[in-house]
Amino acid sequence: EGASTSQQLPIDFNLYHKLWSLQEFFHQPTLCFSSEQWKTFAANTEEVLRAFSSYKLEEVAMRSNAKDRKGQASSELSTANASNADLTESHYFAKFLTSETLINLQLQDSHFRRHIMIQMLVLFQYLTADVKFKMATQTLSDSQELWVKEMTNKLYQLLQETPPNGVRFAAYVKEVLQAEEVWITWKNDGCQSFERQPLADGGEDGNRSKKYSRKRHIGNSCNHGSKKLDMGSKELSRLWNLCPDNLQACRSKTRMFVPVPEQFLDEAIQQADPEARIEAEYKVINNPNFSWQSLRLLSRSSAHFFQNTTAQIRPLPEYLDHVITQTGKDFAQLTTNSNGSSSAQ
């Protein structure tokens, strides 16, 4: 199939010469402003695009040709990584090799065609754009601008028809070139700052004077002329206005507290008792919030929290159950001792 497709392309030296002569214009775009050079550039461009339009690529045929070319080149080049076989197959082409014998394969390769057509689009954008560093004589006539517009539309159409993902690829190219136009405009304007200038108000005498707005402090937008701040939610506003001074509220003694270990761990100690017959999955130690709070509390009050052992680290619920059980025994012993001392008195 690849051989039959190759035979259908009447490639001669003239097309080969016109295709690669375009590189001189891509390299020196100012040559297009010469009338003689423009005629050569326009004729060569039309001939190349005519060849692209006459022999369009089909995705199935392109894949078959890629496999044939890969098989021919396998005797000379070895694949570096077998895992990249699919990527190598989809991107295998002779890029910018100017041998006349490769022109058939190059015109059948979608990546090669895209390289040529994108260079044309970039050149057309330069020719029609208002570039600051152009000379006054470096302009196109009305007929030349009309021709550039027609060729641009034809190029986008060919990009959409070139597999794979032609429509999406053409949209990406158009978006990038539009961003380039914005960049060119910004450079022509002297790279002005993106910051907005403050609005000017007119005075009684008709002269407009600049008034710079003062920077608002955080919270001013929430204060509607009263000391009470509106935070947009009834509950949030209530919490925010409990104390006029937030820092003072953070220093309040009511916020600095540590729960009593006996009271906080009472439920877990009762569940740890085998006589309670509480299944492990229903114990409170399986609650992540309770586990985190218990670890913080036990690290401050329990002597069993820090253990010097070489045993394997147990799961958190199992370890927490063991520490709470030992701590509960200490609480019971302390209670017994305190009761005994009270009765002795």
Side-chain angles (χ1 to χ4, degrees):
E1 186 177 355
S4 61
T5 306
S6 173
Q7 294 175 358
Q8 295 175 2
L9 298 176
I11 306 301
D12 56 2
F13 179 77
N14 291 330
L15 179 60
Y16 163 79
H17 175 74
K18 292 178 180 180
L19 174 65
W20 289 112
S21 65
L22 292 176
Q23 294 296 324
E24 184 66 23
F25 296 96
F26 298 154
H27 178 62
Q28 297 181 353
T30 54
L31 294 176
C32 297
F33 296 111
S34 172
S35 57
E36 296 298 328
Q37 295 290 345
W38 173 262
K39 294 179 181 179
T40 302
F41 169 71
N44 295 348
T45 300
E46 291 178 355
E47 183 66 23
V48 171
L49 295 185
R50 189 180 299 111
F52 287 172
S53 301
S54 301
Y55 307 98
K56 297 179 181 179
L57 298 179
E58 297 293 339
E59 190 167 3
V60 177
M62 185 186 66
R63 291 179 179 177
S64 177
N65 294 340
K67 292 181 180 179
D68 295 342
R69 294 196 300 273
K70 183 181 178 183
Q72 296 174 2
S74 60
S75 59
E76 301 178 1
L77 300 176
S78 60
T79 305
N81 192 345
S83 62
N84 296 332
D86 296 337
L87 183 63
T88 304
E89 177 180 340
S90 62
H91 291 79
Y92 181 83
F93 64 102
K95 182 171 64 174
F96 295 112
L97 297 178
T98 57
S99 175
E100 184 179 357
T101 58
L102 295 176
I103 190 65
N104 282 344
L105 298 178
Q106 288 173 338
L107 290 181
Q108 297 176 46
D109 193 287
S110 62
H111 298 280
F112 179 83
R113 288 195 178 195
R114 284 175 173 176
H115 275 289
I116 299 299
M117 289 189 285
I118 290 176
Q119 289 184 83
M120 290 181 180
L121 289 174
V122 174
L123 177 57
F124 290 163
Q125 185 183 56
Y126 171 79
L127 295 177
T128 56
D130 185 14
V131 181
K132 183 177 180 180
F133 301 101
K134 279 185 180 179
M135 299 178 61
T137 57
Q138 294 178 346
T139 56
L140 298 180
S141 61
D142 295 340
S143 59
Q144 291 175 337
E145 290 183 355
L146 180 61
W147 179 88
V148 169
K149 185 177 181 180
E150 293 176 356
M151 292 297 104
T152 301
N153 295 334
K154 188 174 183 179
L155 283 170
Y156 279 119
Q157 181 180 356
L158 289 175
L159 285 175
Q160 293 177 355
E161 297 172 354
T162 303
N165 303 322
V167 176
R168 185 169 60 177
F169 182 82
Y172 288 162
V173 173
K174 181 176 293 187
E175 184 176 355
V176 171
L177 292 179
Q178 288 176 351
E180 183 71 12
E181 291 181 0
V182 176
W183 185 84
I184 292 174
T185 304
W186 177 69
K187 293 286 288 185
N188 292 338
D189 295 339
C191 306
Q192 296 182 1
S193 175
F194 289 101
E195 296 182 1
R196 295 182 178 180
Q197 298 295 330
L199 297 178
D201 297 331
E204 296 181 357
D205 56 353
N207 297 327
R208 303 186 65 85
S209 60
K210 295 183 179 180
K211 291 186 178 180
Y212 297 92
S213 60
R214 299 177 61 183
K215 184 177 180 181
R216 296 186 302 174
H217 296 282
I218 298 176
N220 286 1
S221 57
C222 303
N223 193 346
H224 301 294
S226 63
K227 294 183 179 180
K228 186 176 180 179
L229 296 180
D230 183 10
M231 304 304 296
S233 171
K234 182 178 179 180
E235 183 62 19
L236 186 59
S237 300
R238 184 188 67 83
L239 295 173
W240 190 267
N241 292 279
L242 287 176
C243 182
D245 190 351
N246 292 332
L247 293 179
Q248 187 64 28
C250 294
R251 299 189 187 100
S252 175
K253 293 182 179 180
T254 58
R255 298 180 58 88
M256 304 297 296
F257 67 91
V258 177
V260 180
E262 292 85 346
Q263 298 177 359
F264 185 80
L265 301 174
D266 181 62
E267 182 181 2
I269 293 173
Q270 293 181 7
Q271 293 179 355
D273 188 358
E275 296 181 358
R277 298 182 181 180
I278 303 297
E279 297 182 8
E281 59 179 333
Y282 298 109
K283 291 185 178 181
V284 70
I285 58 175
N286 293 318
N287 188 342
N289 294 334
F290 178 83
S291 300
W292 180 81
Q293 295 173 359
S294 300
L295 292 175
R296 294 289 302 270
L297 184 60
L298 291 170
S299 65
R300 296 169 61 95
S301 58
S302 176
H304 302 281
F305 182 80
F306 298 100
Q307 300 178 2
N308 186 9
T309 178
T310 58
Q312 185 178 3
I313 299 177
R314 291 176 290 183
L316 179 58
E318 183 180 346
Y319 165 76
L320 191 58
D321 183 58
H322 172 73
V323 176
I324 290 177
T325 302
Q326 297 298 325
T327 306
K329 293 179 180 180
D330 293 345
F331 292 159
Q333 184 177 0
L334 290 175
T335 303
T336 303
N337 294 340
S338 61
N339 293 336
S341 60
S342 299
S343 60
Q345 292 178 357

